[in-house]
Amino acid sequence: FVASSADMGKAASGSDLKLGLATAPVLYAAREFPQLNDMILRGFSGEGDAEDAFHLVGRSEGVELTRQLAERHCAGAIRDLEDMPECEERDALSSLCDQLLNRTN
């Protein structure tokens, strides 16, 4: 929902929705747009469901709330990593958090 199709290497037009998947941005958006709940329950299989849901998510705070959720989980993971001795594995896990939050593909 954030990056362009070129950045993600896939269609950034709701491909998860077309697969019937309700990701975190959709679930958060349903708080603002309750009509999403029916679409979620039918797996976005109704005519125009995926496109309508995609547009509603874009109008909602779902993407920002999802980013905040990821930031909280990454911050907790990095705090937990501080208990590990310094090593390549610790650095790799810390780097993974950074990549997750800043990924474009």
Side-chain angles (χ1 to χ4, degrees), residues 8-77:
M8 291 297 291
K10 65 179 184 177
S13 60
S15 57
D16 288 340
L17 298 170
K18 292 174 184 171
L19 293 172
L21 303 174
T23 57
V26 176
L27 298 175
Y28 279 123
R31 294 177 177 176
E32 293 175 63
F33 299 102
Q35 62 267 43
L36 281 167
N37 291 314
D38 288 335
M39 294 181 211
I40 292 168
L41 289 174
R42 63 179 171 256
F44 308 101
S45 62
E47 187 170 334
D49 277 357
E51 294 80 10
D52 291 345
F54 181 79
H55 291 295
L56 290 172
V57 170
R59 293 176 37 209
S60 77
E61 294 195 26
V63 172
E64 178 56 30
L65 291 171
T66 300
R67 179 166 187 74
Q68 291 172 12
L69 177 66
E71 287 172 349
R72 286 193 306 274
H73 282 285
C74 283

